[in-house]
Amino acid sequence: MRYKYSLLAAFFLLLNGCMSQAPIKTVPEVNLKSFMGPWFVIAHIPTFIEKNAFNAIESYELNEDGTIGTTFTFNEGSLSGPVKTYHPKGFVMKGSGNALWGMQFIWPIKAQYKIVYLDQNYQNTIIARDDRDYVWIMSRQKKIDQDTLKNLVKKIEDDGYDIKKLRWIEHAN
């Protein structure tokens, strides 16, 4: 009987593995110095802490030890809502071309952070996860032209995300 349950459990694990989507490809190479600085969050499938975020900005700073100091700020609930600030730390994974990070909000957990799109001028980026649970479209500007935005959303959709879940971030002028 025990053998039967083990076989059944193995079958469901195998089935689950077959149904999962392939990993999302990162960009080949990220120049970390060029990537540093502020990024406006244009749209996202949010985590629980940012479901009501307005004026969302993610800013990166390269630390001497090679980690990424991160400051994530936003107004909670409205453009004039209280300011929330978080300071996760990014850990660049070796051999990833600097495009795969572990983002640590609380020790010892490092959430997957994949740079899956980055234009050549470091003006627009997409951060994704293989689980397709969260995604962020970010730009150096508060707004992106419609053609570029359409292409970024198409990329997210092509990577297997449900784009109906995208939440658009409003920024103060």
Side-chain angles (χ1 to χ4, degrees):
M1 189 67 149
R2 186 173 164 170
Y3 172 75
K4 184 178 176 181
Y5 287 119
S6 295
L7 191 58
L8 190 60
F11 171 76
F12 281 111
L13 285 173
L14 181 62
L15 183 63
N16 186 40
C18 292
M19 291 190 313
S20 63
Q21 294 177 300
I24 300 171
K25 291 182 182 178
T26 63
V27 297
E29 187 73 31
V30 175
N31 178 319
L32 288 178
K33 288 183 181 179
S34 297
F35 196 81
M36 298 299 103
W39 290 90
F40 293 94
V41 181
I42 303 300
H44 60 174
I45 297 176
T47 65
F48 71 95
I49 65 170
E50 57 188 330
K51 285 188 184 238
N52 294 309
F54 290 76
N55 291 319
I57 300 172
E58 181 110 329
S59 189
Y60 305 108
E61 181 179 344
L62 187 57
N63 296 326
E64 288 183 21
D65 65 359
T67 61
I68 309 296
T70 305
T71 302
F72 178 54
T73 60
F74 61 91
N75 294 90
E76 178 73 28
S78 71
L79 289 172
S80 59
V83 175
K84 301 284 186 177
T85 303
Y86 294 91
H87 296 282
K89 185 184 270 190
F91 296 82
V92 179
M93 303 300 172
K94 291 183 181 170
S96 71
N98 300 325
L100 176 60
W101 303 2
M103 192 60 79
Q104 187 175 70
F105 280 85
I106 54 171
W107 184 86
I109 300 166
K110 293 178 184 161
Q112 185 185 61
Y113 180 103
K114 295 181 93 168
I115 303 170
V116 300
Y117 174 83
L118 181 60
D119 67 18
Q120 65 183 12
N121 297 319
Y122 286 70
Q123 294 300 301
N124 300 300
T125 190
I126 297 172
I127 308 303
R129 292 171 33 92
D130 288 336
D131 288 344
R132 277 103 170 151
D133 48 359
Y134 310 117
V135 69
W136 297 265
I137 296 173
M138 299 192 297
S139 179
R140 299 294 188 176
Q141 307 298 317
K142 291 180 182 180
K143 295 184 183 215
I144 299 177
D145 74 77
Q146 288 304 304
D147 287 340
T148 300
L149 189 56
K150 186 186 229 181
N151 291 333
L152 296 177
V153 170
K154 177 77 169 115
K155 161 92 173 105
I156 290 169
E157 185 175 41
D158 290 348
D159 282 341
Y161 278 93
D162 179 357
I163 60 169
K164 292 180 203 142
K165 294 180 180 180
L166 277 175
R167 177 179 178 270
W168 301 95
I169 302 290
E170 195 174 341
H171 290 275
N173 292 331

